[in-house]
């Protein structure tokens, strides 16, 4: 049995991974879907958390996520089109980036600050058994 922690990206909550978690559980695994508050894209969160406790992690798998290095941010790793969405999406209040209209109606505004905050890594991730 494997324990999975599924962390969604900007504007999404744990509900996004529930169908996958249900399948993982059906195959005998433990699966936890988390909802993060006030955090940037999942790749940033995953990389930062894994950097802090590598001894507790066997494998880190990134699916449609940023793979940041020390000092990177979602802002520094994305495209000009995405940056434009960040700015225009936060124009209503300067705080939360509005989700695109075509996304699931459960999506919520995402903090702009989470997109520009730089990630600080210690480099201790080399202890993982696997990095995908």
């Amino acid at each position: 049995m494997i324990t999975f922690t599924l962390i969604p990206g900007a504007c999404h909550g744990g509900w996004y991974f529930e169908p996958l978690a249900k399948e993982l559980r059906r195959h005998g695994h433990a699966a936890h879907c988390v909802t993060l508050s006030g955090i940037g894209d999942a790749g940033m969160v995953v990389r930062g958390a894994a950097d802090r406790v590598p001894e507790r992690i066997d494998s880190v798998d990134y699916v449609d996520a940023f793979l940041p290095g020390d000092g990177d941010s979602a802002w520094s790793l994305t495209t000009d089109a995405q940056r434009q969405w960040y700015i225009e999406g936060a124009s209503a209040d300067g705080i939360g980036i509005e989700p695109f209209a075509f996304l699931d109606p459960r999506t919520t505004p995402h903090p702009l600050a989470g997109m520009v905050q730089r990630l600080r890594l210690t480099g201790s991730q080399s202890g993982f058994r696997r990095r995908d």
Side-chain angles (χ1 to χ4, degrees):
M1 179 183 84
I2 298 172
T3 300
F4 292 89
T5 302
L6 305 169
I7 304 172
C11 302
H12 291 76
W15 51 265
Y16 182 76
F17 282 122
E18 269 308 321
L20 173 59
K22 184 177 179 179
E23 279 299 304
L24 290 169
R25 291 180 195 120
R26 191 172 71 79
H27 289 281
H29 302 292
H32 307 284
C33 302
V34 298
T35 297
L36 303 171
S37 59
I39 305 296
D41 283 355
M44 295 291 178
V45 175
V46 170
R47 185 87 181 224
D51 182 74
R52 301 310 189 272
V53 290
E55 70 280 358
R56 298 182 65 190
I57 299 170
D58 289 331
S59 175
V60 176
D61 299 292
Y62 298 89
V63 179
D64 192 23
F66 291 121
L67 183 56
D70 185 48
D72 285 336
S73 67
W75 183 271
S76 71
L77 294 174
T78 198
T79 65
D80 286 339
Q82 285 290 107
R83 287 186 201 100
Q84 191 65 31
W85 167 49
Y86 297 168
I87 298 300
E88 289 178 5
S91 65
D93 64 8
I95 298 171
I97 301 168
E98 290 295 322
F100 287 119
F102 61 81
L103 293 176
D104 188 291
R106 294 174 287 183
T107 57
T108 59
H110 194 87
L112 177 60
M115 301 302 191
V116 298
Q117 182 177 4
R118 295 186 181 279
L119 182 63
R120 294 295 172 214
L121 300 174
T122 65
S124 59
Q125 298 177 51
S126 60
F128 299 158
R129 284 191 253 174
R130 287 182 45 206
R131 287 188 304 176
D132 298 326

